[in-house]
Amino acid sequence: MSKMMAGGPLTLKDLIYFLLWLGILYITWTFMHTADGYLRLTPEALGKYFPVKWFLLMHITAGGGALVLGPFQFSKRLLQNKKLHRVIGYLYLLAILASSICAVVLAATTAYAINWAYAFSLQVWVSVWITTTFVAWWLAVRGLYKQHKDWMIRSYLVTLAFVVSGLALKMPVVQRLGDFADIGPTFFWLGWSLPLYAYELIKGMKPR
């Protein structure tokens, strides 16, 4: 790595940041590993997803890419290399574009096999995902980089919500609360709205 990319000697903050990224990478791998059965591409393995199997696989793959790429957008070390930052940013944007388009298809089709509340929660979720990411890109194009960073954080919080909610719903203590059809929509709402609310609270309390 060049001096420009390295930005000087590594610090404790760099190490902590790297460990956090490894944690996100592990969570992403764990979440995506639960979908290994879908790779058989058989009606038995895919169930209700079989008619839209390619949308499902693209949604999972591109979404995983967005999860892994997202943290690099906030590294001050990498921000020093504007060209690299821009490349990673566009890859993140394309990953979300691909995954969100597939999510729209899934939310409008197979989600209704669970119930209306589940489908609606996904539709609102993906709308927030697309909106926060588009606003972040639009602000970057206009050169409003401070606001761009704020909206990138919002975009990534919504991106993280997909795995956070998914893993939470697999916890025994959560599963004892009821069937997936009953508790799933609630956790999908909480997965993105609560982190965004917390971020706005923290941001609002900081001195300007």
Side-chain angles (χ1 to χ4, degrees), residues 29 32 42 57-58 76 93 107 114 122 132 157 167:
W29 178 85
M32 294 182 70
T42 62
L57 293 178
M58 177 59 74
K76 290 183 179 179
L93 180 68
I114 305 296
L122 291 182
T132 53
L157 287 174
L167 292 175

Side-chain angles (χ1 to χ4, degrees), residues 103-115:
V104 169
V105 174
L106 296 171
T109 55
T110 56
Y112 284 100
I114 305 296
N115 56 38

Side-chain angles (χ1 to χ4, degrees), residues 36-151:
D36 285 351
Y38 294 143
L39 296 178
R40 295 199 296 269
L41 299 179
T42 62
E44 293 76 21
L46 287 162
K48 66 178 183 292
Y49 294 113
F50 185 72
V52 290
K53 57 182 178 292
W54 301 117
F55 288 101
L56 175 66
L57 293 178
M58 177 59 74
H59 170 64
I60 295 172
T61 303
L67 283 163
V68 173
L69 289 169
F72 292 110
Q73 296 295 299
F74 311 111
S75 170
K76 290 183 179 179
R77 186 173 292 270
L78 290 178
L79 280 172
Q80 294 175 11
N81 188 329
K82 294 183 179 180
K83 184 176 180 180
L84 179 61
H85 175 72
R86 190 177 297 112
V87 169
I88 294 174
Y90 274 108
L91 289 175
Y92 175 79
L93 180 68
L94 289 173
I96 288 185
L97 181 63
S99 187
S100 62
I101 289 174
C102 295
V104 169
V105 174
L106 296 171
T109 55
T110 56
Y112 284 100
I114 305 296
N115 56 38
W116 180 87
Y118 173 75
F120 182 67
S121 67
L122 291 182
Q123 289 162 7
V124 174
W125 193 349
V126 73
S127 298
V128 175
W129 197 26
I130 293 171
T131 303
T132 53
T133 307
F134 173 79
V135 172
W137 168 79
W138 181 69
L139 289 168
V141 170
R142 295 189 61 193
L144 301 173
Y145 298 116
K146 185 178 183 302
Q147 295 93 322
H148 164 70
K149 181 181 178 181
D150 286 337
W151 280 94

Side-chain angles (χ1 to χ4, degrees), residues 163-178:
V163 292
V164 172
S165 299
L167 292 175
L169 286 166
K170 295 182 183 298
M171 297 172 61
V173 64
V174 173
Q175 292 178 343
R176 286 195 291 270
L177 297 176

